Amino acid sequence: MTGHSGRFRRWLNRAPSRSDSRGVSPTGSDPDDRQGEHPAGAGGSRGLRAWLTTRSVAREVFLLQLVLVVLLIAAAVLAIVVQTQRDIMTDARHRTLAAAESFANSWGLQDALNSDNPTAKLQPRAEAARKAAGVDALIVYKLDGITLTHSDPRQIGKHVIGPYAEAARGKPFTRTFQGALGLSVVSAAPVKDSSGRVIAIVSAPVTVENVQKSVNRQLPLFLGTAVGALALAGGGAGLVSRRLRRQTHGLGPTEMTRMYEHHDAVLHAVREGVLIVGRGGRLLLANDEARRLLDLPADAEGHHVGDLGLDSRTVDLLTSDRAATDEVHLAQDRLLALNKRSTAPYGAHHGSVVTLRDTTELRWLTGRAERARERLRLLYDAGVRIGSTLNVERTAAALAQVAVPRFADIVAVKLRDPVLQGEEPAAAGTKLQRAAFAGLAVDHPLHPVGELMGFDPGTPVAAGVDQGRSMAVPDLAGSSEWRSQNPERARRILDHGVHSLMVVPLLARGVVLGAVDFWRSGSSPPFDDEDLSFAEELAGRAAVGIDNARRYTRERTMAMTLQRSLMPRGLPEQDALEVAHRYLPAQAGVGGDWFDVIPLPGARVALVIGDVVGHGLHAAATMGRLRIAVHNFSALDLSPDELLGHLDELVTRIDVQDEDTEAGPAITGATCLYVVYDFVSGRVTAATAGHLPPAVAYPDGRVEFLHPPVSPPLGLSSGLPFEPIELSLPEGSRLVLYTDGLVEDRSRDLDEGLEALRAALAGPDRTPAETCATVMQALLPTRSADDVALLVARTRRLDPARVAEWDVARDPAAVGPVRNACVRQVTDWGLEDLAFSTELILSELITNAVRYGSEPIHVRLLHTRTLICEVSDGSSTSPHVRQAKDTDEEGRGLFLVAQFAEQWGTRYSPRGKTIWAAQAVAPDAPPRDEEPGEHLPGRRGHSGEG
């Protein structure tokens, strides 16, 4: 089918083609039509050719009919060919299936298959059956795929692979596939023995090529029929077209009138001038628009164009044979765009048609539109550049740079001094400071950046700045008011060629932030009212950016001030750790990262670091609240896990209160790490609330991260307890606490940051200050989007000679020996001035433990910057203060301890409690001269633990 379709298309391509049209007579009809019948022979051929090349309705109808007939005939031939091919293919399927099944069920086939040489017996029978059935082959296959018979003897004995599984299962089938004979229609039938078992397969193929040959034999009949039908249809269409051509040969009065009315309406209503100039330069036709544009007289038609008072250049164009496209000619006060073309190919008379278009207003409008586009583009660029920074000076500089030289030659921005500081400007006052300028030479006469300037009260410039009104001075040389401000400076400005000025205030929220001076010099045109409106628009957009930068500067300054007031201004004095720290605020603003070092009783120090989500005033204030809360909780001498538990409850309560009062974002999500180092034992206890683990750099160069049990950030109210981690550190180890801004950013994930921190801490021992510098240099990003806090503490150990301990039996008689031993130890340390007070404090504390506590009872003296007396027992009951009466013999023990000790308190442990008291041992500490008995009557005292 494919081959026949291709031949049919090639036959169509060889058909004679129609010639192209060559022209149309002025009336739209063929000149030969007016002569009646065409002469025979060559004259008839010429008439037919002329008719075919005529652009007429008859020709178009003929071509349309001919195309439709060709399409219908082609579709019919195609359908017949397809149907014929389908019928032949169906017949081939039926013949092959019948041949295969007949041969498979033929008598003696099973005996031949079971013989010693099946091919010798079956091949002659198969060839005879093939010829009788009219198939291309009759093939017998064994079930193992070995060919027993074939029309091509070379294929006998070969193993064939084909879709015969269905026949092997006992079902005949018919398919089309590629076989040894080529693309064929193949039917296969199973050969069954007496028990119904399939023992062989018979297939009968018919090649598609043979099927196609059957179709090809019928194609000439189809094509002959199609040619005959085409000839008949073409002849009929020709007769119809000739009749139509004769019927439309002439137009009646009604048609002519309607044609003229349409022509006249279009010609005179169009907004473009039309002239038709004949041979010799005579004006044949002019429409109304042409008469208006050229100011032609009423009787202009028929006159020579040179007699109509036109410009000589225009006359030369109209009388010449030259074509023109959008040539601009002057006609009185108008600029006309002329287009000229010859009418020779289209009309009976040689001449030219000219169209005219007034471009005077169009050019003016085009110029204004281009100017408006440039101004809009400038406003867009200004919005992009001015709003890209939150720095007041840089915002002012961006305003000056974007306006030069596209709008002004020189731009100077001056702002009120409070605006530069981020403060709200005063309601009045003309003192301005130069903030930025652009477009000036080195020797410019204007005020330099940073200089404070003012204007005389009552002048237009001063009034404009104070009241927020713009002012334009198109001619500076002719303005006496402007020159009177500073005659010498005005003269220098005029000498530099500056001739026009606009002063536009920077207004935001109804407040004047400053003013912008726009200057033009040289050949630039002076400013006009339109320029002033645009300058006000530009200054208004810039004022919003400057005000945003001012407010950001103010908030940042306030946040930094608040943060500096809330952050530790200095590290407390203590001997347990050598501490260094670094803090770097984020580029986006002050955040909520914080740290602290808190001395604790018992020669211990707490290291704290935390991170509050967000930036700005709220984050800084929240950081201060958390830091104060940690200080208060640490005064209770709680363990790290207990302290974080209380802090979590506090954050939850604060969030609920802030939510009720709409005070701002919640604190939930803040993290905290609390680490306690014991100066005596070298033991570290740490607990975390969602914060990153601390790092430990050992003296031998090893680095590891302490991973306390995972706990959620503060305020989540998960109900899970905070679990601590404890370990002992050798002296000289460095504890490193940090926030996520140091190890995590957009270009580096957390794991990479922790490995980089490990690498920076590894290596030789360094001081905490050197460690901070190394870590910041190695990990600090170029532009940090988050705060960075770093705290490094190197551990120390208290000299064992400065520690004294005793176990005390629960016997009042044991108090005296221990007390005396403690006094001797204090004397051996050279603290004789504290012997009496220490004896009194220990006597009260040990006696209280013996009487009200439980075993084990332990006494410890620590000689650090202070002398610390500690008495521990196994009871968790805390002593309490009560009002002792004058006749009471008890209840004044704690009062005596408080009088002689600088500090005292109680801390709890899993095995009981410890009551401690600290006394200053500084050389300049003044001795106590008062007697304790002077304070006893009527004072608050200490009762027992019961």
Side-chain angles (χ1 to χ4, degrees), residues 96-105 139 141 164 167-168 170-173 187-192 198 200-204:
T96 56
L97 183 59
E101 289 183 337
S102 298
F103 194 81
N105 296 307
I139 308 168
Y141 300 98
Y164 298 108
K171 295 181 180 179
F173 71 91
S187 296
V191 179
K192 302 180 180 179
V198 177
I201 299 172
V202 178
S203 67

Side-chain angles (χ1 to χ4, degrees), residues 884-890 892 938:
K885 299 179 181 179
D886 294 341
T887 57
D888 289 343
E889 296 182 0
E890 298 176 349
R892 297 178 177 84

Side-chain angles (χ1 to χ4, degrees), residues 823-838:
V823 172
R824 286 194 299 271
Q825 183 62 61
V826 170
T827 304
D828 293 341
W829 285 340
L831 304 177
E832 293 86 353
D833 55 331
L834 299 179
F836 174 74
S837 57
T838 302

Side-chain angles (χ1 to χ4, degrees), residues 224-236:
T225 305
V227 171
L230 180 62
L232 291 175

Side-chain angles (χ1 to χ4, degrees), residues 275 277 281-283 286 290-297 300 303-319 329-332 334 336 338 354 356:
L275 298 175
V277 181
R282 290 193 174 276
L283 181 63
R291 293 176 184 275
R292 184 184 72 83
L293 294 177
L294 297 175
D295 196 17
L296 298 177
H303 290 77
H304 193 275
V305 293
D307 300 333
L308 300 177
L310 302 179
D311 181 75
S312 59
R313 182 166 170 264
T314 305
V315 172
D316 293 341
L317 174 63
L318 297 179
T319 56
H329 290 255
L330 181 64
Q332 297 178 0
R334 294 187 179 93
L336 304 179
L338 271 68
V354 181
L356 306 93

Side-chain angles (χ1 to χ4, degrees), residues 630-650:
V630 170
H631 267 273
N632 291 335
F633 288 137
S634 65
L636 300 177
D637 208 355
L638 302 174
S639 61
D641 53 323
E642 290 180 308
L643 185 141
L644 291 181
H646 287 294
L647 189 63
D648 181 66
E649 295 177 1
L650 176 65

Side-chain angles (χ1 to χ4, degrees), residues 551-727:
R551 295 166 64 184
Y552 172 78
T553 301
R554 179 184 181 187
E555 181 177 346
R556 179 178 174 84
T557 302
M558 293 174 60
M560 292 184 67
T561 303
L562 176 62
Q563 188 181 45
R564 282 194 298 267
S565 65
L566 296 176
M567 290 286 282
R569 300 187 181 182
L571 299 179
E573 294 183 358
Q574 44 82 31
D575 297 327
L577 298 169
E578 180 186 356
V579 182
H581 62 88
R582 294 289 187 275
Y583 175 78
L584 182 67
Q587 297 289 338
V590 176
D593 291 10
W594 58 283
F595 63 89
D596 216 334
V597 179
I598 306 173
L600 298 176
R604 295 172 304 130
V605 177
L607 302 175
V608 192
I609 194 165
D611 188 359
V612 176
V613 178
H615 296 86
L617 283 173
H618 180 78
T622 302
M623 176 270 295
R625 297 166 79 179
L626 292 182
R627 179 170 177 261
I628 293 173
V630 170
H631 267 273
N632 291 335
F633 288 137
S634 65
L636 300 177
D637 208 355
L638 302 174
S639 61
D641 53 323
E642 290 180 308
L643 185 141
L644 291 181
H646 287 294
L647 189 63
D648 181 66
E649 295 177 1
L650 176 65
V651 169
T652 302
R653 289 197 300 270
I654 292 177
D655 281 346
V656 172
Q657 295 172 1
D658 289 349
E659 183 179 356
D660 295 339
T661 60
E662 298 182 357
I667 308 176
T668 300
T671 64
C672 183
L673 173 64
Y674 192 83
V675 180
V676 175
Y677 175 69
D678 191 330
F679 185 27
V680 179
S681 63
R683 195 158 188 79
V684 170
T685 306
T688 180
H691 201 81
L692 296 174
V696 178
Y698 290 96
D700 59 2
R702 291 184 300 111
V703 178
E704 69 176 8
F705 290 95
L706 304 182
H707 291 280
V710 178
S711 298
L714 299 173
L716 294 183
S717 300
S718 61
L720 299 176
F722 295 92
E723 299 183 28
I725 183 175
E726 295 187 13
L727 75 160

